[in-house]
Amino acid sequence: MTVASVALLGLALAACRGTDATGASGGSDNGTLKIMQLTIPKTNGLDYQAGVKAAVDAINAKGGVDGHKIDYQFCADGPAPVGDPNSTANCAAKAVQEGATALVGSLMVFSDSAYPTLARADIANISALGYSTPDNNNKLSYVMGSGYTNVAGEGMVSAQLGCKKAGIITQDGLPTDPEIVGSFAAGVKLGGGKVANPVLVPEGTLDFNSAVAKLKAEGVDCITNGFPATAQLQPILQAAHAAGGLKVVGPLDLLSDQTMKTLGPLAEGYVAVDSAFANAPADQNDTEVMTADQKQMMTDLEKYAPEVVKTGRQAWIGYGAVKVYEAAAKKVLDAGDKVTSKTIKAALDTLQMPDSIWPALDFSQPGPGKASRVFNTKVNFFVVKNGKITAVDRKAHDVGQAIKDF
């Protein structure tokens, strides 16, 4: 079935259920607030559902949002590690069919296959991580942290580490390649460094000796791991160590407890970047710098998703996305309106949140440049020291200018 036919099917099914073109008659049957998460269930050893489910369970245990329980559904948008466009379109059609009031905590590589269908019902995508151009500029997208924000941060920190020249290795053939390469280069320049030509390798590559050698020959002393999967992390680190004198920078969410144990001393000195959380806590034990909402989050995760508390911070981003939805739904209910996809979107367009899980968010203001839907342009920097993830400086570094430039 084609993407277009899936979209049309979704609209037809929604019409049969009585949902109009704006989604205004769906979403709160029996007083429940319907949301859907659209991503891969578990990939790279990370569970992107757990944080969303924990937040929903915690809210419902307290009676819901002003007495309205949240009805959470999950839709897998294809196989690991990146999904596929037809599955993404199919899930978007299901969101319309089921009367979802928003997508929450979704992570879609092929989001351009979802937005045309979501637009028919004004279903917003409250995403902790945007990984495609549509996520970063579609009017339905509300992105607290972009994959390109992280990559720009990886470029910036490379320059701040004193590297004379930085390079990135990433997979060839993905629709996100131009944004990955462009945001990285812009981040390096923002930090005052020089950038080498990117090295794009075929899917499934696990030997990075030649890729690292190519970058080193260009004078690179910092290498960014441009892969979102754990499979490439160890061989990239091994190749960098073998080449000598090279620092490796990459995403923080790859550093689960299991990955840290597997890497052992190989992880020492690895520099990690993540979309900013307020006060830059390094892990669940960093309570002295956590906000009150972050402390509550850790309590809720311990209770409702204890198996993922120590596996990395991917659960945090899903939890944080639900808290944004909760604030929007409460705003609708406080105004005496019914929670629908249309009213949630309208609430999001004027929503302002103080430091909470994320740094302060203001959805009423446009974001930088082409990435106008990225509302958190700040990143935190971490480094592995003595086998532990440690915050570098506890500062939120703004890469908004880099996003605008690329």
Side-chain angles (χ1 to χ4, degrees), residues 33 39 44 52 97 114 124 140 148 157-158 166 182 186 200 209 227 234 312:
L33 312 178
T39 189
N44 310 324
V52 175
Q97 174 188 347
L140 295 172
Y148 309 126
V157 75
S158 295
L200 305 181
N209 288 299
F227 289 86
Q234 183 169 349

Side-chain angles (χ1 to χ4, degrees), residues 68-349:
H68 297 263
K69 297 290 185 73
I70 298 176
D71 178 359
Y72 163 71
Q73 296 184 41
F74 179 84
C75 190
D77 71 337
V82 297
D84 68 72
N86 283 333
S87 294
T88 300
N90 206 359
C91 283
K94 184 177 180 182
V96 175
Q97 174 188 347
E98 297 295 331
T101 60
L103 295 186
V104 182
S106 296
L107 173 60
M108 302 176 284
V109 172
F110 298 98
S111 61
D112 55 341
S113 298
Y115 284 116
T117 301
L118 298 176
R120 303 298 193 273
D122 277 334
I123 297 177
N125 177 30
I126 304 172
S127 176
L129 283 175
Y131 265 101
S132 69
T133 298
D135 283 336
N136 292 339
N137 58 31
N138 192 284
K139 67 179 182 179
L140 295 172
S141 180
Y142 299 82
V143 181
M144 276 73 71
S146 167
Y148 309 126
T149 304
N150 288 354
V151 176
E154 288 159 11
M156 174 192 273
V157 75
S158 295
Q160 292 185 348
L161 288 171
C163 295
K164 296 179 181 178
K165 200 171 189 180
I168 187 170
I169 303 173
T170 191
Q171 180 179 321
D172 195 9
L174 290 177
T176 52
D177 282 343
E179 286 83 2
I180 292 173
V181 171
S183 57
F184 171 75
V188 174
K189 292 175 183 177
L190 181 63
K194 295 182 179 180
V195 63
N197 290 323
V199 176
L200 305 181
V201 300
E203 180 181 4
T205 297
L206 292 176
D207 183 341
F208 292 94
N209 288 299
S210 61
V212 168
K214 185 176 181 179
L215 287 175
K216 189 169 185 180
E218 287 194 41
V220 164
D221 42 5
C222 271
I223 292 176
T224 282
N225 167 26
F227 289 86
T230 54
Q232 290 80 14
L233 178 57
Q234 183 169 349
I236 287 177
L237 285 170
Q238 289 172 331
H241 279 246
L246 298 175
K247 294 174 181 168
V248 179
V249 180
L252 177 68
D253 64 2
L254 300 185
L255 297 182
S256 67
D257 276 10
Q258 183 57 52
T259 299
M260 291 285 286
K261 290 178 182 178
T262 299
L263 292 175
L266 197 61
E268 195 69 15
Y270 177 83
V271 178
V273 177
D274 203 16
S275 290
F277 293 97
N279 294 351
D283 57 36
Q284 69 273 10
N285 298 316
D286 229 348
T287 55
E288 72 277 6
V289 298
M290 286 186 179
T291 65
D293 287 334
Q294 287 171 341
K295 290 179 181 179
Q296 184 61 54
M297 172 182 67
M298 296 314 304
T299 298
D300 291 340
L301 290 176
E302 287 279 6
K303 182 174 182 179
Y304 296 105
E307 71 282 1
V308 302
V309 169
K310 296 182 179 181
T311 62
R313 304 208 303 177
Q314 77 282 358
W316 296 25
I317 60 178
Y319 185 102
V322 175
K323 299 304 286 185
V324 172
Y325 174 82
E326 180 187 29
K330 191 175 189 309
K331 187 171 184 178
V332 173
L333 292 167
D334 286 348
D337 293 331
K338 182 181 179 181
V339 174
T340 69
S341 54
K342 187 173 183 179
T343 58
I344 284 290
K345 184 182 183 306
L348 287 168
D349 284 334

Side-chain angles (χ1 to χ4, degrees), residues 28-64:
S28 55
D29 295 342
N30 300 319
T32 61
L33 312 178
K34 296 182 179 180
I35 65 171
M36 180 178 287
Q37 184 183 17
L38 198 169
T39 189
I40 297 162
K42 292 185 180 181
T43 183
N44 310 324
L46 305 177
D47 184 350
Y48 286 99
Q49 292 178 267
V52 175
K53 291 168 65 178
V56 169
D57 287 345
I59 291 169
N60 285 344
K62 296 175 182 177

